[in-house]
Amino acid sequence: MARLRFLLLVLLASLFYTAVFGQAASIRKADDFYNNGGYFEAIPLYKDGLETVPTGLLGEYLFKIAECYRKLANVRQAELWYGKALQREVKNPLAQLYYAQALLQNEKYDLAKEAFQQYKELAPQDPRGENGLNSVSYALAWTESPTEIGR
């Protein structure tokens, strides 16, 4: 009976190890795709491997998923994943900038304005924060009073 329990324990441990190792391998493979411009291929691998990422690095990997979507011009998904990365306190200030830009592109002007202001506080020397705020103002002005093209 003890031998059966031991075998069962070994079997369960090996299954757990295989699952965890497989997910960690998924992250490594995703990093390879990401570093070589294979953003489309990296996304599902990152998502599959997120459970294996240490909590302190989760924001960085959420940021990488957002970057994949941004580089693939999927602004809606990029906005979603930048938001997740920021909730996990990603260290890269560009996450805030790209989140603000995605909000602007998705016509969420009030949120974009707030996000650009936050970026300006993070990187006051970077003109992209002020430029973003100006873009929000122009977009709001245009939506309030659109003009005809070619007039």
Side-chain angles (χ1 to χ4, degrees), residues 74-151:
N74 186 334
V75 184
R76 295 204 190 290
Q77 285 296 312
E79 175 195 329
L80 172 74
W81 288 92
Y82 284 126
K84 289 180 180 192
L86 291 168
Q87 287 175 345
R88 290 296 185 151
E89 299 178 2
V90 64
K91 305 278 188 271
N92 191 334
L94 289 178
Q96 185 66 46
L97 174 65
Y98 296 149
Y99 178 62
Q101 290 173 344
L103 289 167
L104 177 61
Q105 288 177 305
N106 289 327
E107 300 177 6
K108 297 178 180 177
Y109 301 124
D110 292 336
L111 293 173
K113 182 178 179 180
E114 187 177 310
F116 278 119
Q117 287 172 334
Q118 289 173 354
Y119 179 71
K120 241 179 103 168
E121 291 172 15
L122 287 172
Q125 73 288 354
D126 189 343
R128 291 179 290 184
E130 187 63 37
N131 292 343
L133 287 171
N134 290 337
S135 294
V136 171
S137 295
Y138 295 139
L140 283 170
W142 185 84
T143 58
E144 291 172 6
S145 177
T147 58
E148 292 180 31
I149 297 176
R151 245 181 138 184

Side-chain angles (χ1 to χ4, degrees), residues 5-71:
R5 284 184 187 167
F6 177 75
L7 287 174
L8 184 59
L9 181 62
V10 169
L11 179 63
L12 289 174
S14 66
L15 288 174
F16 176 76
Y17 177 77
T18 302
V20 169
F21 180 75
Q23 288 177 328
S26 175
I27 291 290
R28 285 193 300 276
K29 192 171 182 179
D31 281 339
D32 287 342
F33 277 118
Y34 180 87
N35 292 330
N36 291 303
Y39 306 115
F40 183 80
E41 294 84 357
I43 291 169
L45 295 170
Y46 277 135
K47 288 179 180 180
D48 286 344
L50 281 178
E51 295 172 5
T52 65
V53 174
T55 305
L57 295 175
L58 186 57
E60 301 302 321
Y61 282 96
L62 294 169
F63 176 73
K64 284 185 174 186
I65 294 171
E67 281 288 273
C68 289
Y69 281 119
R70 180 179 71 86
K71 292 175 181 187

